[in-house]
Amino acid sequence: MSDKINFSKEIIDVIAKQDSTIGITGSPSTTLDIEIDITEDKKTERALGQMVFVMLNEDGKDVLVIGQIISVETQNRWHEDPSFKGVIKRHGKLPHLSGTADNRIATISVQACYALDANEPMGHILGTSPSTGENVKKMNNDVMKALVKKHEKHITYMGKVYGTDVDLPLWFKHFDKTNNDELGANDAYHIGVFGKTGSGKTVTASYMLLGYTKNKNNLSVLVLDPQGQFYNDKDLLPPRGQKFEDRVKASGMNFNKYEITKDVYLPGDKYELFGELLQNNKFLEEAFRPLYTEDKIEAAKNVIVDYLRGRSNKPGFNLGSITDSKKLLEEMLKRFLEVKDDEEKKIGFSKYVYGIFGTKETRTRLQSRIKSISENIDRQTGILSKWNNALYLFTQKKEDNTNKVSVDDIVDKIVNNNGNFVVLDLSPKKGEIENENLQALFVSIIESKIVEVGADLFAKGEKANCLIVLDEAHRFISKESSDPRIKEFTKEIIGSVRTTRKYGIGYMFITQTIESLDNEILNQMRIFSFGYGLTSGSELRKVSEVINNKSAVQLYKSFIDPSSNNRFPFMFFGPISPLSFTGSPLFMEVYGDISMFS
Amino acid sequence: MDQQNKNSNYAFLPDDLLMKMLDKVPDTVGKMNGMFDVQDEPIKKGIEELKNKGLINKITSKEHTTSLIAVDGSNIVEKMTGTDILLAMGVGVEGLTNGETVGWEDNKNQYYQWQTVLPHGDANARLIQGIMFLMELSVLAHASHEVRIMDGNHMTPILKINSMLSAKDENAGPEYCSALTEFLKETYNKIIPDIPDIVSAAFSNENIVAMVKYSSSRDILESHLKDHKDIRVDDKTFFSLGLAQDEYTKPLSVGQSKDENRIWGDLHIKCNLDAIKEKDELNKEFKKVLEKIKTKDYKGRSKESEIYFTYYKPYDDGPAYRIEIKKGIANNLPKLEKYLLSIKNQIVFPEIREPYPQYLVDLMAKSIAMGLFSIQEAIRLSPDLKIDRGKFNLLFNYRT
């Protein structure tokens, strides 16, 4: 029935009723930036950030042009004249000229144009610059609603046009073709949400994710949560006390959250990872003390990994199959003390002890230490606890004997199935995960698995259609990091963002700083969301490079610290709104109350 | 051609020309030095003598007003290939105030503008100039402000209005007179016989003073310092150099010297346009109106004009100003000093040498050029313009 509705005519009718002229199209104007001369009666009204529209005629068609005012300038020729400056200096303002003779010139960044000659408004690119003298009117919710009426159910409202009361329509398309009445972009988008602490980036990202949950028949979402903020559902949605989980469930998506140290078991063949865990929880330092240098700790880790790899030659052995962790420790320590083959006999130590220290004295000392632990194993509570904790991450049963889920299960939920929203808590736990290095390792394991399964699907002509969210991405993506694990993971991510779009896998990076992300990642991003605070020289340069619009960057710079007024302004750039197809940024203040979200 | 590039028979213009001008600068400076070689002593003596004669006063009053305007006008005859566009305006602006302004009441125009198109004619410039002065006089006469500065002197409007009405020698015909009639009707709902009233209203109004920016008058030097032959500068320069801050000359009636007395005595407005049927009546009226300001009565006997003038130096470092006032003010020194002080308060020296509103209104009036450009464009672009394609050229200026 909808094809009988003349949406264009409805828009024209609504526009005809508006008398909110703010200015007149001026000169010079282009198809992307339109100058307007603000009318006298509107000169004291807020103009910056206003969304405005103007009806033009092009090729005999009515064309509705929508844009946002990104700069306003006051001009007064008398105040610019050097002679009059002398007068002002001594007498203050110029009677009848100061204020009265002001001209305000605003620049509109064109966001979208629609040709209104057919039943439905059709996206249009201005083919010629607008004539001067056309009425430019303030956008309001009546016009906006009429404009997006056709796509009403696909629209997400998560904020108002910056400095106005107009709700800004956004759309969050899944990454495949439009299907089951859910809009598809037919391309996976990588997304960046940037902003300093307190800028509202987590709330904004949460709103965006809720926008994506409108695609329950096509999309799944995985949140890798290094701070546990999504897992604990803490302060994600305003006002305090609102639950993100409830909102996701209300959308019809399945919500699952897992704590990686308790609910998920890691692949049993990841001996290197086990070694890293022992290194990380200080097991090595305590068990084999004294280990004075990082080299020695690394060497101790390597001999344990070697030992376990050796054991894995026997079918059925892996870290997930261990039923008696103390016994495994005892067996390992025993082997470290044994001198078995000719080679070991020749050197007088097991190859494992030999692998850690270089002198006879130090090796003998280590042997004594290992012997002491072995003989008093039950009294070594600290060592045993660390060993058990690390191994627990690989066991398939929880302490209450219920089953854990595997990384493969999670990846399956996300990549092979739609409608799943999974939060994976990677937050630091004392004795288990204590630094970004390990978080990066976990993320790396999951991420590589996702890419692997995504590639398989792609080979079969299907798409994964999933969004991987990396909160606090700067923690584990940094080319400059001194940590080799993070460096390596950064390389992996760069490789992934290059290739996974075609698999239908999109990444959302939530981070405090745009500088932390590699240029390669930025180059692959399609949607940017900039909150308050990226104003240092180098960060602003990055933002400018992305936006390539001086006036827009100026407006971004004018954002006020949200802590002073509890308003959260954002600059969005990319295909996120029916109003953003010219590639100009959109300025928005996200809602301070989830009840307004729709 | 000595400066001309030797490798070419043709000068590098304008560079060569400019070089030649710059070469002549030392000569010009030398001549200027001669003119500036004004000895202090004769000036001092001259001033001393005037003081002895009681002709120089110093302001003692503290009273002033910010209810002050300046009025100016401008006009253009745009000679297009097929026709002339005539455009004139008269405008007034207020000066610096302490916050409160008088403004213009609804029935008192702050400005007038008028435009028309006439066939090519030498007299067209006289018509539009005369109209401009009528506008200026109207703005001045109808404002409510206490002090109203006319740009120039009292004589010029009379000369220009006379020129407008006596353009028979330049073939001002019926169309010329129709345009004048049209202007009066459109602008004031008046007719040609009302012109003397417009002049009279301004010339009898004591609130109106005239300030001339440039003056070569030696009226005082020729009349009161005849023996000081060594003072060769004009009155304005003389008083600029000789007066101290806040000193002014005692107001004197215009035409103190023989030459100037003759000029003010001969002042007249005499219409000779045959297309104006009422010209005889009109001329009688003008005689009556001008009677008060002339230095001769209707029988040719010498008399005082009711236009007075004074030279006033508001600041030590600045120039003296020649200010023409009405007799009533000249004879009322407290009021005169209030006017002078009010003018002083409008001078933002050295940035602006004339009173601020006079400078401002000059800029406003000059914007007429922009107005003309807009009118031309609007005419050419008007969908109502009916002109054959082949005649479109007639819409442009005869020169590029």
Side-chain angles (χ1 to χ4, degrees):
Chain A
M1 292 296 284
S2 66
D3 56 347
K4 289 191 179 168
I5 300 172
N6 191 331
F7 291 102
S8 295
K9 187 174 177 308
E10 282 188 17
I11 294 168
I12 292 170
D13 289 346
V14 171
I15 285 173
K17 291 177 196 158
Q18 310 302 317
D19 58 352
S20 53
T21 300
I22 186 173
I24 303 296
T25 51
S27 174
S29 290
T30 68
T31 54
L32 294 175
D33 290 307
I34 300 174
E35 296 289 311
I36 64 167
D37 298 314
I38 292 180
T39 51
E40 178 70 15
D41 57 328
K42 293 289 192 295
K43 70 177 187 182
T44 55
E45 288 187 13
R46 184 186 171 90
L48 193 66
Q50 286 288 346
M51 186 152 275
V52 294
F53 64 91
V54 54
M55 283 286 274
L56 302 175
N57 194 285
E58 194 172 288
D59 293 333
K61 291 183 227 174
D62 282 327
V63 174
L64 175 65
V65 179
I66 297 164
Q68 201 161 10
I69 294 180
I70 53 172
S71 73
V72 190
E73 185 180 61
T74 299
Q75 292 179 354
N76 185 319
R77 56 174 283 207
W78 308 107
H79 276 249
E80 289 168 26
D81 185 305
S83 302
F84 284 86
K85 283 194 183 295
V87 179
I88 294 162
K89 187 174 69 186
R90 257 172 269 173
H91 291 268
K93 68 177 192 176
L94 303 169
H96 307 295
L97 294 175
S98 296
T100 315
D102 289 353
N103 286 317
R104 279 189 179 74
I105 292 100
T107 304
I108 303 171
S109 175
V110 174
Q111 308 285 0
C113 307
Y114 294 95
L116 301 178
D117 57 330
N119 274 6
E120 286 177 25
M122 298 297 289
H124 182 87
I125 297 293
L126 273 186
T128 185
S129 51
S131 301
T132 53
E134 301 290 348
N135 282 342
V136 178
K137 298 180 178 182
K138 271 188 187 177
M139 179 63 83
N140 58 32
N141 280 327
D142 292 341
V143 177
M144 192 66 95
K145 290 257 166 11
L147 189 64
V148 295
K149 191 174 178 185
K150 170 89 179 18
H151 298 290
E152 212 165 17
K153 62 183 164 187
H154 305 298
I155 294 297
T156 295
Y157 292 102
M158 55 178 271
K160 292 179 182 295
V161 175
Y162 181 61
T164 73
D165 279 329
V166 182
D167 297 304
L168 183 65
L170 301 179
W171 51 24
F172 296 96
K173 299 176 180 177
H174 64 81
F175 305 148
D176 209 338
K177 290 174 192 157
T178 297
N179 179 30
N180 273 335
D181 208 19
E182 291 173 2
L183 283 184
N186 207 14
D187 187 11
Y189 294 155
H190 298 321
I191 303 159
V193 182
F194 307 95
K196 289 277 181 266
T197 306
S199 63
K201 66 176 182 306
T202 306
V203 171
T204 301
S206 302
Y207 280 149
M208 291 171 81
L209 291 174
L210 289 180
Y212 277 109
T213 60
K214 292 185 177 179
N215 302 296
K216 63 175 178 177
N217 297 308
N218 289 282
L219 187 81
S220 284
V221 181
L222 170 65
V223 180
L224 299 171
D225 186 14
Q227 281 193 315
Q229 198 171 359
F230 282 87
Y231 183 86
N232 296 316
D233 208 343
K234 194 164 173 281
D235 297 339
L236 294 177
L237 299 175
R240 195 161 282 191
Q242 295 295 318
K243 288 293 164 199
F244 181 71
E245 179 179 343
D246 296 343
R247 287 278 169 171
V248 175
K249 283 178 177 166
S251 75
M253 270 202 172
N254 304 311
F255 184 87
N256 292 289
K257 60 180 186 179
Y258 303 106
E259 204 178 332
I260 197 145
T261 53
K262 295 208 164 54
D263 304 320
V264 181
Y265 67 89
L266 299 171
D269 58 351
K270 297 288 181 190
Y271 303 107
E272 179 75 23
L273 174 58
F274 180 65
E276 299 262 4
L277 289 167
L278 295 177
Q279 183 178 0
N280 182 252
N281 70 9
K282 312 281 186 207
F283 166 86
L284 297 174
E285 280 171 87
E286 195 173 339
F288 301 142
R289 70 170 180 238
L291 295 174
Y292 293 117
T293 63
E294 286 297 320
D295 286 355
K296 298 299 169 207
I297 295 170
E298 189 71 19
K301 181 190 84 177
N302 290 340
V303 298
I304 292 177
V305 173
D306 280 352
Y307 170 77
L308 294 171
R309 282 220 177 95
R311 292 281 301 262
S312 71
N313 289 331
K314 189 177 170 189
F317 180 88
N318 65 55
L319 295 172
S321 67
I322 308 297
T323 50
D324 187 344
S325 57
K326 189 176 91 175
K327 189 178 167 204
L328 177 64
L329 177 60
E330 286 176 317
E331 286 170 1
M332 183 184 80
L333 295 175
K334 189 178 164 203
R335 174 64 188 94
F336 281 11
L337 294 172
E338 282 175 359
V339 177
K340 272 187 163 179
D341 56 23
D342 292 346
E343 186 66 25
E344 287 184 337
K345 282 176 187 162
K346 190 177 162 189
I347 56 181
F349 297 97
S350 72
K351 61 184 176 186
Y352 302 105
V353 170
Y354 182 79
I356 296 174
F357 283 114
T359 66
K360 195 174 174 185
E361 290 74 23
T362 50
R363 286 172 189 153
T364 307
R365 190 181 66 207
L366 179 60
Q367 262 188 334
S368 306
R369 172 70 184 151
I370 294 171
K371 200 174 172 190
S372 160
I373 295 170
S374 298
E375 286 169 357
N376 301 291
I377 191 78
D378 290 327
R379 278 191 278 164
Q380 306 297 330
T381 51
I383 292 172
L384 267 177
S385 160
K386 287 183 168 68
W387 175 264
N388 290 340
N389 281 342
L391 205 53
Y392 180 71
L393 295 175
F394 296 86
T395 56
Q396 296 176 13
K397 294 277 184 189
K398 295 186 200 174
E399 283 168 349
D400 61 5
N401 214 31
T402 55
N403 289 331
K404 290 182 176 178
V405 293
S406 67
V407 169
D408 287 357
D409 290 339
I410 292 172
V411 171
D412 182 62
K413 272 183 199 256
I414 297 301
V415 182
N416 291 324
N417 294 285
N418 297 321
N420 289 313
F421 196 107
V422 176
V423 174
L424 203 51
D425 177 19
L426 307 168
S427 60
K429 304 281 187 300
K430 200 159 172 54
E432 293 160 356
I433 309 169
E434 285 182 357
N435 64 18
E436 285 97 21
N437 178 315
L438 268 184
Q439 288 178 330
L441 200 60
F442 289 144
V443 174
S444 171
I445 290 166
I446 296 159
E447 196 266 339
S448 352
K449 192 74 193 169
I450 288 170
V451 173
E452 182 190 321
V453 178
D456 288 348
L457 275 180
F458 182 68
K460 290 185 219 161
E462 294 173 37
K463 280 195 175 176
N465 209 357
C466 63
L467 176 64
I468 316 296
V469 182
L470 279 167
D471 192 15
E472 299 292 327
H474 55 273
R475 283 168 171 260
F476 26 76
I477 303 177
S478 169
K479 256 191 167 178
E480 310 305 321
S481 174
S482 56
D483 190 323
R485 175 64 71 188
I486 289 178
K487 266 187 167 172
E488 196 178 321
F489 178 64
T490 305
K491 265 192 210 167
E492 282 173 27
I493 279 286
I494 291 171
S496 290
V497 294
R498 273 204 206 117
T499 54
T500 55
R501 272 177 59 194
K502 65 184 176 196
Y503 304 159
I505 300 171
Y507 287 88
M508 177 189 273
F509 300 93
I510 307 170
T511 179
Q512 291 180 13
T513 150
I514 191 170
E515 269 191 302
S516 63
L517 292 189
D518 192 86
N519 273 342
E520 279 290 335
I521 296 176
L522 291 176
N523 290 342
Q524 295 293 331
M525 275 188 186
R526 289 292 309 280
I527 295 174
F528 295 83
S529 167
F530 297 104
Y532 170 80
L534 305 181
T535 45
S536 74
S538 52
E539 291 203 294
L540 205 59
R541 259 196 305 282
K542 285 257 184 194
V543 175
S544 304
E545 279 170 22
V546 172
I547 303 298
N548 195 22
N549 182 327
K550 270 187 190 168
S551 303
V553 173
Q554 284 301 319
L555 179 53
Y556 169 74
K557 271 172 75 179
S558 73
F559 282 177
I560 295 168
D561 187 344
S563 65
S564 65
N565 61 2
N566 215 25
R567 301 169 84 146
F568 299 92
F570 272 80
M571 173 170 70
F572 283 92
F573 182 65
I576 196 171
S577 166
L579 307 180
S580 61
F581 60 75
T582 60
S584 296
L586 282 166
F587 292 85
M588 187 175 82
E589 273 176 18
V590 294
Y591 294 142
D593 191 328
I594 181 67
S595 63
M596 298 167 84
F597 180 93
S598 62
Chain B
M1 293 293 283
D2 51 334
Q3 296 292 320
Q4 205 171 315
N5 189 308
K6 286 174 187 165
N7 298 324
S8 167
N9 290 326
Y10 194 84
F12 285 113
L13 295 176
D15 311 34
D16 288 353
L17 201 56
L18 185 64
M19 276 304 295
K20 200 134 194 165
M21 288 179 193
L22 291 174
D23 284 347
K24 294 280 182 194
V25 164
D27 290 350
T28 311
V29 170
K31 284 175 186 165
M32 207 173 258
N33 283 337
M35 289 180 189
F36 289 157
D37 187 20
V38 183
Q39 297 295 314
D40 290 345
E41 204 51 35
I43 302 277
K44 264 188 192 169
K45 282 185 179 167
I47 293 291
E48 198 68 36
E49 189 172 331
L50 291 176
K51 280 185 177 169
N52 291 337
K53 288 179 178 175
L55 289 176
I56 292 179
N57 296 341
K58 184 156 186 154
I59 288 182
T60 53
S61 171
K62 300 259 185 250
E63 200 188 345
H64 72 278
T65 178
T66 55
S67 173
L68 182 147
I69 60 166
V71 174
D72 199 358
S74 61
N75 68 85
I76 294 183
V77 177
E78 176 68 5
K79 294 179 185 298
M80 295 162 79
T81 306
T83 186
D84 285 351
I85 295 179
L86 281 64
L87 178 61
M89 68 187 278
V91 59
V93 298
E94 289 185 338
L96 299 164
T97 65
N98 297 323
E100 287 179 18
T101 60
V102 176
W104 266 265
E105 292 161 34
D106 284 347
N107 59 344
K108 296 177 176 180
N109 284 48
Q110 188 184 357
Y111 62 86
Y112 295 101
Q113 69 81 31
W114 186 74
Q115 71 214 47
T116 195
V117 176
L118 283 177
H120 285 149
D122 293 338
N124 288 347
R126 292 165 70 166
L127 173 67
I128 203 67
Q129 267 195 339
I131 283 174
M132 179 193 79
F133 276 102
L134 286 175
M135 288 174 171
E136 284 187 48
L137 295 180
S138 299
V139 174
L140 283 162
H142 291 116
S144 319
H145 301 78
E146 193 175 346
V147 183
R148 307 170 206 167
I149 301 172
M150 177 197 290
D151 190 59
N153 58 32
H154 281 87
M155 191 188 285
T156 313
I158 294 169
L159 298 179
K160 294 300 178 184
I161 293 168
N162 179 57
S163 169
M164 172 179 73
L165 292 173
S166 59
K168 189 177 176 181
D169 55 319
E170 288 192 321
N171 302 319
E175 284 189 56
Y176 180 98
C177 295
S178 299
L180 178 58
T181 305
E182 193 185 304
F183 156 70
L184 290 165
K185 180 156 180 50
E186 279 179 16
T187 313
Y188 312 114
N189 202 19
K190 286 183 188 287
I191 52 175
I192 288 176
D194 292 331
I195 295 176
D197 293 343
I198 297 171
V199 176
S200 174
F203 277 71
S204 57
N205 192 318
E206 290 184 356
N207 299 103
I208 299 171
V209 301
M211 287 187 73
V212 61
K213 288 182 190 130
Y214 172 83
S215 170
S216 58
S217 169
R218 283 175 52 87
D219 212 11
I220 290 183
L221 286 166
E222 298 289 349
S223 55
H224 295 276
L225 295 172
K226 273 184 200 164
D227 300 334
H228 293 250
K229 302 287 182 202
D230 47 356
I231 303 175
R232 286 173 297 174
V233 294
D234 55 60
D235 283 356
K236 197 164 184 283
T237 309
F238 170 68
F239 288 115
S240 293
L241 296 170
L243 288 180
Q245 179 164 322
D246 285 332
E247 284 183 340
Y248 64 96
T249 59
K250 182 188 166 192
L252 298 168
S253 172
V254 294
Q256 294 289 310
S257 64
K258 198 175 161 190
D259 286 348
E260 294 221 7
N261 192 279
R262 183 180 45 77
I263 295 168
W264 282 91
D266 291 342
L267 270 186
H268 64 276
I269 298 177
K270 195 168 181 186
C271 176
N272 68 1
L273 301 174
D274 294 332
I276 296 176
K277 289 176 204 157
E278 313 91 334
K279 67 177 180 184
D280 293 337
E281 275 175 49
L282 191 62
N283 290 336
K284 276 185 201 163
E285 283 303 310
F286 276 129
K287 266 191 176 174
K288 278 188 211 165
V289 168
L290 298 183
E291 185 66 29
K292 288 180 183 175
I293 61 171
K294 286 175 66 171
T295 51
K296 274 182 204 161
D297 67 11
Y298 68 102
K299 285 184 177 172
R301 292 174 299 203
S302 185
K303 68 177 249 312
E304 266 200 349
S305 166
E306 293 192 6
I307 304 294
Y308 279 63
F309 71 101
T310 177
Y311 286 94
Y312 167 51
K313 184 165 171 170
Y315 296 104
D316 259 339
D317 301 331
Y321 298 83
R322 179 186 159 98
I323 302 168
E324 290 179 1
I325 50 183
K326 304 296 177 348
K327 188 176 181 177
I329 300 295
N331 293 334
N332 183 346
L333 282 191
K335 201 162 187 182
L336 172 67
E337 291 195 355
K338 180 183 181 185
Y339 276 31
L340 296 181
L341 211 51
S342 303
I343 289 168
K344 177 181 179 174
N345 288 333
Q346 298 295 331
I347 295 169
V348 188
F349 187 79
E351 285 90 347
I352 302 174
R353 302 180 73 87
E354 58 271 56
Y356 165 76
Q358 208 180 2
Y359 173 67
L360 178 61
V361 79
D362 185 57
L363 293 181
M364 295 289 180
K366 277 179 184 155
S367 62
I368 195 170
M370 192 177 70
L372 178 78
F373 180 71
S374 322
I375 292 169
Q376 284 176 314
E377 281 294 298
I379 291 170
R380 285 174 201 143
L381 298 170
S382 171
D384 298 332
L385 181 68
K386 294 183 179 69
I387 190 162
D388 292 343
R389 188 178 290 266
K391 295 175 187 163
F392 197 69
N393 167 51
L394 300 180
L395 293 175
F396 290 87
N397 197 298
Y398 70 94
R399 61 183 173 191
T400 307

